[in-house]
Amino acid sequence: MKRMIILTAAAAALSGCDRTDDRAPHGPGQGRYLGVGIYDAGQMWQELSGGEQPKDPKAATLADDTEIIVVVDSVTGEVRQCGNLSARCISMNPWRGRAGTTPASLERHAAELARDSEAEAQNVAAKPRP
């Protein structure tokens, strides 16, 4: 009788090994998003294009973001970068090829910003001082 109970318990326990669901199991209070890090919102973050502009004039924009929060979805492998105030996100999934807005669309590229900055510095230096 003991042997039958043990065999039944073992069969019940092993029946879960043949899972067809590819999603990682999460217990109560455990989310599927894992924090990668929090980074300063650099100048290029403000140059992201696309996305809807908020209709509310009080809503935060890309220029208001001070930090970028990076998370990975433990189920799909997708990596997301989101602004801390604007909630604007860009994403990529290296395991599924191009996804989301990869590569990100920009209003101006870093080289253009550097040229503008250099031209501004030259204009300031060329102006005579009173």
Side-chain angles (χ1 to χ4, degrees):
M1 183 67 168
K2 267 186 170 179
R3 186 180 231 172
M4 185 63 148
I5 293 173
I6 292 173
L7 288 174
T8 303
L14 291 175
S15 66
C17 291
D18 191 24
R19 290 182 58 142
T20 57
D21 185 8
D22 64 347
R23 298 180 183 267
H26 300 286
Q30 296 176 338
R32 66 188 252 185
Y33 295 98
L34 308 171
V36 174
I38 299 175
Y39 304 93
D40 289 335
Q43 186 176 14
M44 294 308 297
W45 184 256
Q46 295 179 28
E47 298 298 327
L48 286 175
S49 66
E52 292 183 25
Q53 294 298 321
K55 293 177 180 29
D56 181 358
K58 292 184 178 184
T61 64
L62 292 174
D64 298 314
D65 288 330
T66 56
E67 296 166 335
I68 306 302
I69 302 164
V70 181
V71 297
V72 64
D73 184 332
S74 65
V75 174
T76 65
E78 178 182 64
V79 178
R80 293 184 189 172
Q81 302 176 61
C82 302
N84 67 322
L85 297 174
S86 70
R88 172 76 187 278
C89 296
I90 58 174
S91 64
M92 66 172 230
N93 189 334
W95 295 273
R96 293 193 182 185
R98 294 176 67 154
T101 56
T102 305
S105 297
L106 301 172
E107 295 291 332
R108 296 187 304 166
H109 294 275
E112 293 173 276
L113 294 173
R115 280 193 302 269
D116 291 350
S117 182
E118 184 178 317
E120 181 69 26
Q122 288 176 355
N123 287 339
V124 169
K127 288 184 181 178
R129 294 187 179 176

